[in-house]
Every structure is written in structure tokens, then in C-alpha cells.
Amino acid sequence: MKKFLLALTCLMLGAQVLAADRLKDITNIAGVRSNQLLGYGLVVGLDGSGDKVTSSPFTGQSLSNMLTQLGVQIPPGTKVDPKNVAAVSLTATLPPFARKGQALDVTVSSIGDAKSLRGGTLLLSPLKGADGQIYGMAQGNVLVGGAGASAGGSKAQINQLSVGRIAGGATVEREVPTALGNGEFINLELQEANFTMANRVVQAINKAFGSGTARAVDGGLVEVRAPFDSNQRVQFLSRMENLAVDPAEVSPLVIINARTGSIVMNQAVQLEPCAIAHGNLTVTISNNPQVSQPPALSGGQTVATNQANVSVTSDGGKVLKVAKSANLNQVVSALNALGATPQDLISILQAMKAAGSLKADLQII
């Protein structure tokens, strides 16, 4: 616990001396965004590790439809159950300013009961956007990062075998128009809405390009006047996104992961004087099985009995005084002095917050 908190102190104290943030790291240009694509397809060429039609009937139906479109007539009543085919879902990201013919990476995930996609090939499949339009076509050999083997009821596997990737496996077929602003203005959206940060962004832009270039609409949106010519506008944005902006002071925050016992706090956390008493109560239950064996020729039966031992141990807790701490180093030293485990420290921090001693917001994840 002590090593963890000391390491956390070094990280947080080091964060205080960081340089100012670049404008591109704290804002997004309105309208410049990526779009998610989704598709459905078939992976063929698997070595008997594909879907079973009995449990994944959509695979056989998809295969029959594909063969029909290719001119292959399947006699009525024929059961299509090839074990080297798997139905998969396809996901890709269409970046801003993507043009026709540009290559995209595709993630292939099994949606049936295929054991492995290793060595498979994705057949030509469309990728659609949220509007139902086709924006790309995907096809290619699936690369799976895992490996596995099984024999005689034993199985060994490394990483995931039902998810693969096709690098550059999709081609953009439809472009999404991206407008850099509306008329003479472009809008900057702050990644975290903050009035102080919005004001500092406006000041940094007006200092670099002249008074009246930028104005704050609200705490999360800044309107910037930009040149009309596309080439000049790109040059303007290139200069603007590299402007340095002093970061605003962060709000004191303590993040607690109740499942793992992890505790992370920023440098704005402060403590007010308080007194803390902390003790441990341990309950131990042990079970000792005993066997009663009757003498020979006595006609008795062997009887198994359980003897349970229950003990309760209470460690006396001392009342510790926690002094006022104005910086993270002092906060960590005060918490280390308690000698509590991370799980116990979660309860202590919650009690300190309720008592008004912890000057920070608690966020439990």
C-alpha cells in the first residue's frame, strides 16, 4: 500500500510541472469526426472449426443465399452444413476526409459457435453506416493473434481465436462530406466543458490572430473566424491547433475501484484535521473431520463426525490524529500513517468525506 501511494505521489507531483496543453489536445473541430461501420459476412476455408448449422442456422442460410446469387442451384431439402464456414460481424472506422479507394482496417468477430477463425478468408461483404448506406466493401485473409490445440479431451489456448483482423481489408466506396465550419466561422468543441478553459482558449487565439477572432458561445463551444479560402483555412487551422493553452485547475477528485481496491487521487485533494479509530475483527471457522472406528467383531459401524472450531479475534484500534494536509504529498503521508489496507482505506475515505475532512469528490467505479 505504501509503495503504491508513494508511486502515485511521484506521478501526480510530476504532472504539476507539465507544459501547457496544445489546443488540438483539448478541443475538437465541429464536424470533423469519424464514423463507425458495421457489416455481416462469411469466413471460409476454416479447418473444420466453423459454425454448426444445428446451433447456428443463420450460417447455412447465408451460405445458401450466397451460392444462389452466384448461380449455384441447391436442390430443395438439401442440408447445408459445412464445418469450414463461419458467420462473422465486421466493424471498421471511417476516418474524416476519407476518399474513395482508401483502405480501412477491419475487425472480424465470430457470431456463431465457430471454434477458431485462424486461416480463414472473408468473402466480399458490404460495410454500412448508421443510415443504412454502404460506405465500404471488405474482403481478405483473416489474421488471428491467438493459437490453440486440443486432443484427447485436453485443450490449450493462447489469446482469442474467435476474433481476427484484416489490415487494409476494406475499401471506401462512398465519401462522407466534411465541412470545415459554417461560412466564415468554425466551431471548437472543448473535450471537457469548462468556463475557465473556454476563456483561456479564446484569449490564446485572440492573442495569436488578433482581437475578435474568437469568442466563447458557452463553457464548451468557442466560435472562431477563419479565412474563406480552403487552402488558407487549412493553414490557419494548422497554426491554431498548435497554440499553447494554460490548463485550468482541476477539481479535487478521488476515484475508487471497489472491485479491485484501487484508489487514485489528483493533486488538488486536501485534508482537514480529523481523528480516526480503525480496528480489525477476524472470525475464523475450522472444520476437523473425525472417524469413530468400533472394535473388531463388535457389530458397530464406522461413523464420521465433524468437529467445528470457531474463534473471534479483535485487534485493538488506536485513535490516530490526521493533521491538515494542503498538498498531495502530505495527503499520502497522512493516509500511509493509518496503516490500512486498500479495502479498509475505501471505507475510511468515505467516512472522512461524510465528516467533512476530505475536500474532494468521491467517484466509485
mmCIF file of all heavy atoms in Angstrom, residues 29-36 94-97 176 178:
data_model
loop_
_atom_site.group_PDB
_atom_site.id
_atom_site.type_symbol
_atom_site.label_atom_id
_atom_site.label_comp_id
_atom_site.label_asym_id
_atom_site.label_seq_id
_atom_site.Cartn_x
_atom_site.Cartn_y
_atom_site.Cartn_z
ATOM 1 N N ILE A 29 -12.682 20.031 -33.648
ATOM 2 C CA ILE A 29 -13.335 20.907 -34.622
ATOM 3 C C ILE A 29 -14.694 20.309 -34.961
ATOM 4 O O ILE A 29 -14.795 19.140 -35.352
ATOM 5 C CB ILE A 29 -12.476 21.060 -35.885
ATOM 6 C CG1 ILE A 29 -11.115 21.666 -35.536
ATOM 7 C CG2 ILE A 29 -13.180 21.925 -36.924
ATOM 8 C CD1 ILE A 29 -10.163 21.772 -36.708
ATOM 9 N N ALA A 30 -15.740 21.098 -34.782
ATOM 10 C CA ALA A 30 -17.094 20.608 -35.029
ATOM 11 C C ALA A 30 -17.237 20.121 -36.472
ATOM 12 O O ALA A 30 -16.831 20.812 -37.420
ATOM 13 C CB ALA A 30 -18.108 21.714 -34.741
ATOM 14 N N GLY A 31 -17.785 18.950 -36.655
ATOM 15 C CA GLY A 31 -17.985 18.379 -37.981
ATOM 16 C C GLY A 31 -16.875 17.465 -38.433
ATOM 17 O O GLY A 31 -17.072 16.662 -39.351
ATOM 18 N N VAL A 32 -15.694 17.572 -37.821
ATOM 19 C CA VAL A 32 -14.566 16.702 -38.176
ATOM 20 C C VAL A 32 -14.602 15.506 -37.230
ATOM 21 O O VAL A 32 -14.162 15.590 -36.080
ATOM 22 C CB VAL A 32 -13.225 17.451 -38.079
ATOM 23 C CG1 VAL A 32 -12.075 16.531 -38.452
ATOM 24 C CG2 VAL A 32 -13.241 18.670 -38.980
ATOM 25 N N ARG A 33 -15.143 14.410 -37.687
ATOM 26 C CA ARG A 33 -15.334 13.243 -36.840
ATOM 27 C C ARG A 33 -15.279 11.974 -37.680
ATOM 28 O O ARG A 33 -15.443 11.997 -38.904
ATOM 29 C CB ARG A 33 -16.696 13.314 -36.144
ATOM 30 C CG ARG A 33 -17.850 13.669 -37.058
ATOM 31 C CD ARG A 33 -19.172 13.241 -36.520
ATOM 32 N NE ARG A 33 -19.309 11.782 -36.509
ATOM 33 C CZ ARG A 33 -20.397 11.154 -36.072
ATOM 34 N NH1 ARG A 33 -21.421 11.851 -35.620
ATOM 35 N NH2 ARG A 33 -20.470 9.846 -36.100
ATOM 36 N N SER A 34 -15.042 10.856 -37.000
ATOM 37 C CA SER A 34 -15.051 9.559 -37.660
ATOM 38 C C SER A 34 -16.449 8.961 -37.573
ATOM 39 O O SER A 34 -17.288 9.393 -36.778
ATOM 40 C CB SER A 34 -14.027 8.625 -37.009
ATOM 41 O OG SER A 34 -14.312 8.463 -35.635
ATOM 42 N N ASN A 35 -16.695 7.944 -38.390
ATOM 43 C CA ASN A 35 -17.987 7.259 -38.422
ATOM 44 C C ASN A 35 -17.756 5.753 -38.331
ATOM 45 O O ASN A 35 -16.822 5.219 -38.952
ATOM 46 C CB ASN A 35 -18.754 7.585 -39.709
ATOM 47 C CG ASN A 35 -19.203 9.037 -39.767
ATOM 48 O OD1 ASN A 35 -20.239 9.404 -39.250
ATOM 49 N ND2 ASN A 35 -18.390 9.878 -40.403
ATOM 50 N N GLN A 36 -18.616 5.085 -37.575
ATOM 51 C CA GLN A 36 -18.492 3.648 -37.389
ATOM 52 C C GLN A 36 -19.246 2.906 -38.478
ATOM 53 O O GLN A 36 -20.345 3.294 -38.873
ATOM 54 C CB GLN A 36 -19.037 3.241 -36.009
ATOM 55 C CG GLN A 36 -18.397 3.961 -34.856
ATOM 56 C CD GLN A 36 -16.906 3.739 -34.775
ATOM 57 O OE1 GLN A 36 -16.422 2.623 -34.993
ATOM 58 N NE2 GLN A 36 -16.164 4.786 -34.482
ATOM 59 N N LEU A 94 -14.564 4.720 -40.304
ATOM 60 C CA LEU A 94 -14.359 5.579 -41.467
ATOM 61 C C LEU A 94 -13.829 6.928 -40.966
ATOM 62 O O LEU A 94 -14.571 7.695 -40.342
ATOM 63 C CB LEU A 94 -15.675 5.761 -42.220
ATOM 64 C CG LEU A 94 -15.610 6.559 -43.530
ATOM 65 C CD1 LEU A 94 -14.800 5.799 -44.573
ATOM 66 C CD2 LEU A 94 -17.017 6.833 -44.050
ATOM 67 N N PRO A 95 -12.559 7.241 -41.198
ATOM 68 C CA PRO A 95 -11.988 8.478 -40.648
ATOM 69 C C PRO A 95 -12.504 9.701 -41.404
ATOM 70 O O PRO A 95 -13.034 9.583 -42.519
ATOM 71 C CB PRO A 95 -10.486 8.284 -40.859
ATOM 72 C CG PRO A 95 -10.387 7.377 -42.048
ATOM 73 C CD PRO A 95 -11.579 6.466 -41.963
ATOM 74 N N PRO A 96 -12.377 10.889 -40.815
ATOM 75 C CA PRO A 96 -12.784 12.106 -41.534
ATOM 76 C C PRO A 96 -11.903 12.317 -42.767
ATOM 77 O O PRO A 96 -10.733 11.919 -42.794
ATOM 78 C CB PRO A 96 -12.592 13.212 -40.498
ATOM 79 C CG PRO A 96 -11.623 12.654 -39.506
ATOM 80 C CD PRO A 96 -11.867 11.186 -39.464
ATOM 81 N N PHE A 97 -12.481 12.912 -43.791
ATOM 82 C CA PHE A 97 -11.812 13.218 -45.059
ATOM 83 C C PHE A 97 -11.407 11.968 -45.828
ATOM 84 O O PHE A 97 -10.530 12.028 -46.701
ATOM 85 C CB PHE A 97 -10.564 14.098 -44.837
ATOM 86 C CG PHE A 97 -10.804 15.292 -43.964
ATOM 87 C CD1 PHE A 97 -10.221 15.392 -42.710
ATOM 88 C CD2 PHE A 97 -11.625 16.324 -44.392
ATOM 89 C CE1 PHE A 97 -10.445 16.487 -41.904
ATOM 90 C CE2 PHE A 97 -11.850 17.425 -43.589
ATOM 91 C CZ PHE A 97 -11.267 17.511 -42.340
ATOM 92 N N VAL A 176 -17.984 10.645 -47.051
ATOM 93 C CA VAL A 176 -18.828 11.443 -46.162
ATOM 94 C C VAL A 176 -18.340 12.878 -46.227
ATOM 95 O O VAL A 176 -17.201 13.167 -45.858
ATOM 96 C CB VAL A 176 -18.757 10.928 -44.711
ATOM 97 C CG1 VAL A 176 -19.587 11.817 -43.781
ATOM 98 C CG2 VAL A 176 -19.239 9.488 -44.639
ATOM 99 N N THR A 178 -17.274 16.432 -45.315
ATOM 100 C CA THR A 178 -16.879 17.059 -44.057
ATOM 101 C C THR A 178 -16.678 18.542 -44.299
ATOM 102 O O THR A 178 -15.798 18.940 -45.072
ATOM 103 C CB THR A 178 -15.579 16.435 -43.511
ATOM 104 O OG1 THR A 178 -15.767 15.026 -43.355
ATOM 105 C CG2 THR A 178 -15.210 17.041 -42.172
#
